Amino acid sequence: MAAFIAKQMVGNQLKSVKAATGGDKDEESKEGDGDTGEDPEIEEARREAEEKRKEKHRKMEEERETMRQSIRDKYGIKKKQEEEELLKQQMESAGRVGRKKKTPAELAAEANGEEEDDDEDEFTMPKNLDEFKSKVQDIPQKLTQTVGEVSEKCSLQ
């Protein structure tokens, strides 16, 4: 524990002295050509290991997909095409920040849809208007009739 504290105290001071004298070679190598300072053999081994790992995961995913397909076939489940389409769209628009641009056909369809919406906004009278008029005219008569019935039933004493 004491060694850790001593290292923390002395280490920070040592870094500041190195930076002041210009003897800090670690930062220079990091800011340089991107050379990690490792042996080319080690870099090659890491790259090969990464490729092997990716290949292993690709094979495992293929096996999983075959198993999924066998289950789909066994139980008669259809594969979701939406997921595949979504993945394709993501691949096509990789690096794109905004949304997908609309095609001219989509723009024309949208414009036609707006024109139809404008027609729907106009007020149209119902076809059975006479029926509604008679019902509205009957409301006051029914109201007075029900008020009369209630007043007959409820007499104040």
Side-chain angles (χ1 to χ4, degrees):
M1 178 93 172
F4 175 74
I5 294 172
K7 183 178 178 183
Q8 289 294 322
M9 292 173 43
V10 175
N12 291 336
Q13 293 173 354
L14 184 61
K15 287 181 183 178
S16 65
V17 170
K18 282 184 178 180
T21 60
D24 196 10
K25 295 179 181 176
D26 293 337
E27 291 181 11
E28 292 174 6
S29 66
K30 290 179 184 175
E31 294 173 359
D33 301 330
D35 186 23
T36 58
E38 292 183 351
D39 240 357
E41 296 173 0
I42 295 173
E43 289 178 12
E44 181 67 23
R46 284 189 184 181
R47 188 183 60 76
E48 288 177 8
E50 182 70 17
E51 288 176 5
K52 287 180 182 178
R53 185 187 66 80
K54 286 181 180 179
E55 182 67 22
K56 176 184 169 186
H57 287 287
R58 186 187 62 77
K59 287 180 182 178
M60 287 173 37
E61 186 59 33
E62 286 178 1
E63 291 173 3
R64 289 184 188 127
E65 185 58 34
T66 56
M67 184 175 288
R68 288 183 200 120
Q69 188 60 43
S70 66
I71 291 171
R72 283 188 211 109
D73 293 341
K74 181 178 178 181
Y75 294 105
I77 301 171
K78 294 181 180 177
K79 186 174 182 179
K80 293 184 180 178
Q81 298 296 328
E82 297 169 359
E83 293 177 8
E84 290 180 5
E85 291 174 7
L86 180 64
L87 289 173
K88 287 180 183 178
Q89 288 177 355
Q90 288 175 351
M91 295 296 278
E92 291 172 359
S93 64
R96 175 174 238 145
V97 177
R99 64 174 173 79
K100 180 186 112 174
K101 290 186 178 181
K102 294 183 178 178
T103 63
E106 291 173 338
L107 291 172
E110 187 176 301
N112 290 339
E114 289 178 4
E115 291 174 5
E116 291 175 3
D117 290 343
D118 293 340
D119 295 340
E120 292 173 1
D121 291 342
E122 296 176 10
F123 180 74
T124 56
M125 298 295 283
K127 295 179 181 176
N128 53 359
L129 185 61
D130 294 331
E131 182 181 330
F132 288 124
K133 284 183 181 179
S134 64
K135 286 183 180 180
V136 169
Q137 290 173 354
D138 291 343
I139 289 175
Q141 294 171 357
K142 289 182 181 180
L143 183 62
T144 55
Q145 182 183 8
T146 53
V147 169
E149 291 174 2
V150 170
S151 62
E152 289 176 7
K153 291 180 181 178
C154 300
S155 61
L156 294 174
Q157 294 177 348

